[in-house]
Amino acid sequence: MRQTLTYLASALPRSCSPGARLVALQCALRADLNGEVRLPLGLLRGMRLHQRADLWDELEYAGWLRRGARSRVQVRAHLLDAAMQGQPRRPQRARSAHWALQPLPRATYRSLPGASRLAAVALASHTRSDGTGAADMELLAHLCGQTPLQLSDLFDRLTSSRLLSSWRRTGLEDEVLWELPHLSRISGHPATGQPRTRTLNARQKDHSGCA
């Protein structure tokens, strides 16, 4: 996941919106060997992006993909970046694509604006197995297409939404430290409603380094 976020931060222009970046993330993780991708409308509906044709326009304008025909059940696209060609369809990429839809175990995650959701994905991908994380502020801002000041505001919103227990910058102001809420209080998987057989932290350990 970190590798994919890093790639997209470099491949997409800084002006690309958080919503477009979330679409690009799913495309990058779900593309086949030929760079072809099919996103079910149900998936986009779950991301609250199914009526946002402008997000696809952004990615086309950036020269990153070419949109294909849209049916009643899916949107098709061809990824134009050479880095997206010839990628093996590893099971971990599919798992990462699913994980990115709900990286934090709170029902409120899906109702957040795209910028907050993208910030949550970036934080979760850098979270350790004990529920704490640390990363350079400039790096996180680069991954999210935000300025450090904008990102600070997003972290405050995530804390207000109780998706983060706390966050702070170190004395040198170049590193961010954070902590996720206590996970044992959550009885079910937020996306499926099924009992959790593994903690979110275990899932984060699995997916944080996935391409």
Side-chain angles (χ1 to χ4, degrees):
M1 180 60 67
R2 293 184 192 177
Q3 294 174 1
T4 304
L5 288 172
T6 300
Y7 155 73
L8 290 174
S10 299
L12 299 176
R14 190 65 179 258
S15 59
C16 216
S17 70
R21 292 174 186 274
L22 288 171
V23 171
L25 178 62
Q26 289 297 318
C27 287
L29 292 171
R30 295 173 185 271
D32 64 18
L33 286 168
N34 299 313
E36 301 291 337
V37 62
R38 298 172 177 81
L39 292 190
L41 288 181
L43 181 148
L44 294 171
R45 189 174 297 110
M47 296 171 66
R48 299 176 184 268
L49 301 176
H50 60 294
Q51 295 180 328
R52 296 290 307 276
D54 59 306
L55 303 180
W56 295 91
D57 292 338
E58 287 186 54
L59 297 174
E60 283 192 309
Y61 184 76
W64 191 73
L65 60 70
R66 181 175 61 250
R67 198 171 5 176
R70 171 172 175 159
S71 70
R72 294 183 178 180
V73 297
Q74 66 183 7
V75 178
R76 300 178 61 180
H78 176 70
L79 306 189
L80 301 176
D81 194 326
M84 291 288 97
Q85 308 298 320
Q87 288 197 107
R89 286 190 61 82
R90 295 175 296 177
Q92 65 195 62
R93 289 181 63 220
R95 291 196 299 268
S96 293
H98 178 73
W99 175 86
L101 296 174
Q102 182 99 20
L104 299 179
R106 295 286 180 182
T108 54
Y109 172 80
R110 289 176 182 253
S111 64
L112 294 175
S116 296
R117 281 184 280 156
L118 184 59
V121 172
L123 287 178
S125 69
H126 286 78
T127 298
R128 295 183 286 259
S129 59
D130 63 355
T132 64
D136 183 80
M137 173 60 94
E138 290 291 341
L139 170 64
L140 293 173
H142 180 58
L143 297 181
C144 296
Q146 304 284 331
T147 67
L149 183 60
Q150 290 171 323
L151 204 56
S152 295
D153 182 59
L154 291 176
F155 292 163
D156 285 339
R157 295 183 189 182
L158 290 174
T159 304
S160 298
S161 301
R162 299 184 180 179
L163 288 163
L164 292 181
S165 288
S166 63
W167 80 276
R168 66 182 177 86
R169 298 182 72 164
T170 64
L172 297 177
E173 295 294 313
D174 59 353
E175 186 179 43
V176 180
L177 307 178
W178 65 88
E179 182 177 358
L180 297 185
H182 195 277
L183 299 173
S184 63
R185 301 174 186 173
I186 304 169
S187 59
H189 191 292
T192 65
Q194 299 299 318
R196 299 180 70 87
T197 57
R198 306 165 65 203
T199 67
L200 172 73
N201 288 330
R203 292 170 59 230
Q204 289 167 337
K205 188 174 182 180
D206 286 347
H207 295 289
S208 62
C210 288

